[in-house]
């Protein structure tokens, strides 16, 4: 059964160098399609930190040392019936060993939400 009444907000953390590839991947699965607009997303620059552990591949950083870099937090809204194909498109282009993609169910959206009562 298609889940056309549920919406999710995705928060995708990605290096700025990979932003164009992410935009193309999201367009390819119609993510961010709202009304008569498509490719609707927002992004902000954030800083990420990490400390690599032994056995990490690819190994990035120095043992025992916290690293930090700028990255983008990209937010896009998708319909529930496109979650699997959207995640597949993101993972296909994402450079991180374990990509950070937060999937947040929305109780309502400004498109189609009538409120309670």
């Amino acid at each position: 059964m298609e889940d056309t009444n549920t919406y999710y907000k995705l928060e995708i953390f990605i290096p700025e160098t990979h932003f164009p590839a992410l935009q193309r991947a999201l367009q390819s699965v119609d993510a961010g399609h709202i009304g008569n607009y498509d490719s609707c997303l927002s992004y902000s620059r954030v800083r990420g930190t990490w400390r690599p552990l032994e056995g990490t591949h690819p190994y990035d950083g120095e043992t025992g040392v916290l690293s930090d870099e700028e990255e983008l937090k990209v937010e896009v809204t998708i319909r529930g019936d496109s979650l699997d194909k959207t995640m597949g498109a993101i993972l296909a282009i994402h450079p991180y060993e374990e990509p950070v993609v937060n999937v947040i169910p929305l109780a309502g959206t400004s498109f189609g939400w009538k409120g309670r009562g």
Side-chain angles (χ1 to χ4, degrees):
M1 177 189 314
E2 289 193 357
D3 187 6
T4 59
N5 294 319
T6 302
Y7 288 86
Y8 295 94
K9 177 176 86 166
L10 304 184
E11 294 178 342
I12 306 154
F13 292 84
I14 195 162
E16 190 166 357
T17 55
H18 288 70
F19 183 65
L22 178 62
Q23 282 184 302
R24 288 189 300 274
L26 293 172
Q27 288 170 346
S28 75
V29 293
D30 204 28
H33 188 130
I34 301 171
N36 290 324
Y37 297 90
D38 72 355
S39 303
C40 298
L41 57 81
S42 62
Y43 64 91
S44 54
R45 286 179 176 82
V46 296
R47 293 199 70 85
T49 65
W50 70 93
R51 185 172 61 187
L53 301 173
E54 292 298 328
T56 300
H57 179 75
Y59 195 83
D60 186 9
E62 195 176 321
T63 302
V65 176
L66 280 172
S67 298
D68 84 25
E69 288 288 331
E70 279 194 357
E71 60 186 349
L72 296 181
K73 178 174 86 170
V74 179
E75 298 180 20
V76 64
T77 302
I78 63 167
R79 287 187 358 193
D81 60 346
S82 67
L83 180 57
D84 288 339
K85 70 179 178 181
T86 302
M87 289 299 295
I90 293 167
L91 296 176
I93 61 90
H94 206 292
Y96 294 170
E97 180 181 13
E98 291 288 334
V100 178
V101 180
N102 298 320
V103 180
I104 304 161
L106 299 176
T109 62
S110 58
F111 34 94
W113 176 249
K114 303 298 185 216
R116 298 182 192 254

